[in-house]
Amino acid sequence: MSDFDAAAHVAHMETVMALTIDEAWLPSVVANMAATARAAALVMAFELDDHVEPAPVFEP
């Protein structure tokens, strides 16, 4: 995920979703998107066996 550009993604989604992000909030939004992308990369990097299926019911 090293090639993910959080600032470009936020700018693109702002246009696609017809949002207006206040300039004062933009650095926080970009930082949040970058942190979310790093977390997603960790999840996606975890390999599962082909026979693993999701549990039908979550039980703590």
Side-chain angles (χ1 to χ4, degrees), residues 3 5 7-9 13 16 19 21 23 25-26 28 30 32-33 39 41 43 46-47 49 52 58:
D3 60 340
D5 184 347
H9 181 72
M13 293 310 294
V16 168
L19 297 174
I21 300 173
E23 289 296 319
W25 285 101
L26 192 57
S28 295
V30 170
N32 190 310
M33 183 55 60
V43 171
F46 188 81
E47 298 209 17
D49 292 332
V52 174
F58 173 75

Side-chain angles (χ1 to χ4, degrees), residues 52-59:
V52 174
E53 296 184 20
V57 176
F58 173 75
E59 294 180 22

